[in-house]
Amino acid sequence: MTKTNVKRKLKELLAGYSFMFPALIVLVVFLLLPILYSIFLSFHKVNLLGHVSYKFIGTDNFERMVDDPRLWIALKNTFRYALIVVPSQTLLALVLAAILNMKLRFRNFFRVAFYLPTVTSSAVLVLIFMWIYNKNGLLNFILESVGLPTYNWLGDPSVALFGIMIMNIWSTAPLFMVIYLAALQDIPDSLYEAAEIDGANAWKKFWRITVPQLKPVTFYVVVMGVIGTFQIFDQSYIFSGGSGGPSNATLTMVLLIYQYAFKNLDMGYASALAFMLAVVIMLITVIQRLIFKEERLN
């Protein structure tokens, strides 16, 4: 390689990195450094009152998790939430996308109407559903109108979390519906025409063609759904007023981290919990990758 080529390659390299530099600065300052600082805090006892101090305590914060009953309650609630919400919203999104991909009248109107919950503020949605679930709310009003007994939907620990689940499925499924709709446009019509010639009905075409062709998209939807459900905070915070009640029924991992960090000012332990949550999400993502084997579909 001649000196001219070397200089040209170096010039192109510097030009490329100069364009990337602003984005790299943002990533380092707002992503990499906070992650490293959080890991640092997880091995220290932090005092934020008065003079800020750090006392190295090794793995004490991680060992403390074993004897923390509220942590296991939060983990149980979060896993339970994810196991119900993720499959439900994925299935609902797929069904809605398949229906709205048909040649129906006013389908563009229905696409916009179904997507509206996604663009609505999460806090506003929670307040609306709290009004619906309230003792004097819409749900009890309907039950009373048809002669059925009313219920304390927000105050019963056995149903409080399900109320958040229903709201989240209703508000999140339309986002994944749009992703499925975009993917359905890429499935060749020739596959459906060939299946129709072979005598396949609508169900067989959906199960044998649509679902397998959407497998990479389903992997993405499930992964994003799991990450979103494990990071649920604002819904449970507003529903319970920040307490995770009633009786810790709506206590989630992120809400528990918030309570330790900003109510108890135990930043070290909160950082250790956040680190543990990140590891759990990564492990679940790896397991999903092995199950779907999406790299073999390309």
Side-chain angles (χ1 to χ4, degrees), residues 96-196:
L96 288 176
I99 294 173
L100 294 180
N101 194 49
M102 298 176 183
K103 296 179 180 179
L104 304 173
R105 292 185 64 186
F106 309 114
R107 68 174 181 176
N108 288 333
F109 167 77
F110 287 113
R111 287 176 179 179
V112 174
F114 287 161
Y115 190 72
L116 283 177
T118 300
V119 298
T120 307
S121 169
S122 177
V124 173
L125 287 177
V126 174
L127 293 175
I128 292 173
F129 271 81
M130 286 182 69
W131 170 72
I132 293 174
Y133 295 141
N134 197 278
K135 287 183 178 180
N136 300 318
L138 178 62
L139 184 55
N140 278 339
F141 174 77
I142 295 174
L143 292 175
E144 191 175 12
S145 300
V146 296
L148 295 175
T150 59
Y151 198 72
N152 183 14
W153 303 99
L154 294 177
D156 189 344
S158 62
V159 298
L161 188 62
F162 285 103
I164 302 178
M165 290 179 187
I166 293 171
M167 186 209 70
N168 205 58
I169 293 169
W170 178 77
S171 62
T172 309
L175 173 62
F176 297 134
M177 176 197 73
V178 172
I179 297 173
Y180 272 126
L181 266 175
L184 285 170
Q185 310 300 316
D186 292 333
I187 300 178
D189 292 334
S190 58
L191 294 177
Y192 295 104
E193 292 169 359
E196 194 168 343

Side-chain angles (χ1 to χ4, degrees), residues 44 47 84 87-88 104 106 112-113 120 132 164 170 185 189 194 199 204 213-214 231 234 254 264 266 276 292:
H44 291 77
N47 179 26
I84 295 176
S88 300
L104 304 173
F106 309 114
V112 174
T120 307
I132 293 174
I164 302 178
W170 178 77
Q185 310 300 316
D189 292 334
K204 286 186 176 179
Q213 290 290 320
L214 293 177
Q231 292 180 339
D234 49 349
V254 179
N264 300 347
D266 194 349
M276 184 270 291
F292 279 85

Side-chain angles (χ1 to χ4, degrees), residues 14-297:
L14 290 174
Y17 277 107
S18 65
F19 282 113
M20 291 171 58
F21 188 72
L24 289 174
I25 290 295
V26 172
L27 288 174
V28 169
V29 173
F30 295 103
L31 183 64
L32 182 59
L33 288 181
I35 291 174
L36 294 177
Y37 184 59
S38 179
I39 295 173
F40 168 80
L41 291 179
S42 64
F43 293 98
H44 291 77
K45 182 176 178 61
V46 186
N47 179 26
L48 296 178
L49 297 178
H51 178 67
V52 179
S53 62
Y54 305 95
K55 179 183 177 183
F56 180 76
I57 57 174
T59 59
D60 285 2
N61 284 326
F62 295 95
E63 295 171 5
R64 178 180 165 188
M65 296 179 189
V66 180
D67 299 321
D68 188 352
R70 299 189 76 234
L71 168 61
W72 298 108
I73 293 173
L75 273 175
K76 178 185 175 182
N77 290 341
T78 305
F79 272 102
R80 183 184 175 195
Y81 183 88
L83 285 173
I84 295 176
V85 171
V86 174
S88 300
Q89 69 186 13
T90 303
L91 180 61
L92 179 60
L94 178 58
V95 171
L96 288 176
I99 294 173
L100 294 180
N101 194 49
M102 298 176 183
K103 296 179 180 179
L104 304 173
R105 292 185 64 186
F106 309 114
R107 68 174 181 176
N108 288 333
F109 167 77
F110 287 113
R111 287 176 179 179
V112 174
F114 287 161
Y115 190 72
L116 283 177
T118 300
V119 298
T120 307
S121 169
S122 177
V124 173
L125 287 177
V126 174
L127 293 175
I128 292 173
F129 271 81
M130 286 182 69
W131 170 72
I132 293 174
Y133 295 141
N134 197 278
K135 287 183 178 180
N136 300 318
L138 178 62
L139 184 55
N140 278 339
F141 174 77
I142 295 174
L143 292 175
E144 191 175 12
S145 300
V146 296
L148 295 175
T150 59
Y151 198 72
N152 183 14
W153 303 99
L154 294 177
D156 189 344
S158 62
V159 298
L161 188 62
F162 285 103
I164 302 178
M165 290 179 187
I166 293 171
M167 186 209 70
N168 205 58
I169 293 169
W170 178 77
S171 62
T172 309
L175 173 62
F176 297 134
M177 176 197 73
V178 172
I179 297 173
Y180 272 126
L181 266 175
L184 285 170
Q185 310 300 316
D186 292 333
I187 300 178
D189 292 334
S190 58
L191 294 177
Y192 295 104
E193 292 169 359
E196 194 168 343
I197 292 173
D198 290 338
N201 55 28
W203 169 250
K204 286 186 176 179
K205 286 191 286 185
F206 176 78
W207 186 249
R208 299 291 184 179
I209 298 175
T210 305
V211 173
Q213 290 290 320
L214 293 177
K215 197 172 182 180
V217 179
T218 301
F219 169 77
Y220 170 79
V221 168
V222 171
V223 169
M224 296 305 295
V226 169
I227 293 173
T229 52
F230 269 81
Q231 292 180 339
I232 178 176
F233 168 72
D234 49 349
Q235 294 97 328
S236 58
Y237 179 87
I238 299 174
F239 255 84
S240 64
S243 66
S247 301
N248 292 324
T250 59
L251 181 66
T252 61
M253 277 301 303
V254 179
L255 180 57
L256 181 67
I257 293 170
Y258 168 84
Q259 290 177 349
Y260 276 116
F262 299 105
K263 287 190 175 181
N264 300 347
L265 297 179
D266 194 349
M267 287 291 180
Y269 186 55
S271 298
L273 290 174
F275 182 75
M276 184 270 291
L277 178 61
V279 172
V280 169
I281 293 174
M282 285 189 288
L283 287 176
I284 293 175
T285 304
V286 170
I287 293 171
Q288 290 173 334
R289 185 182 178 89
L290 294 174
I291 294 173
F292 279 85
K293 299 178 181 176
E294 85 293 345
E295 68 277 1
R296 297 184 184 179
L297 297 173

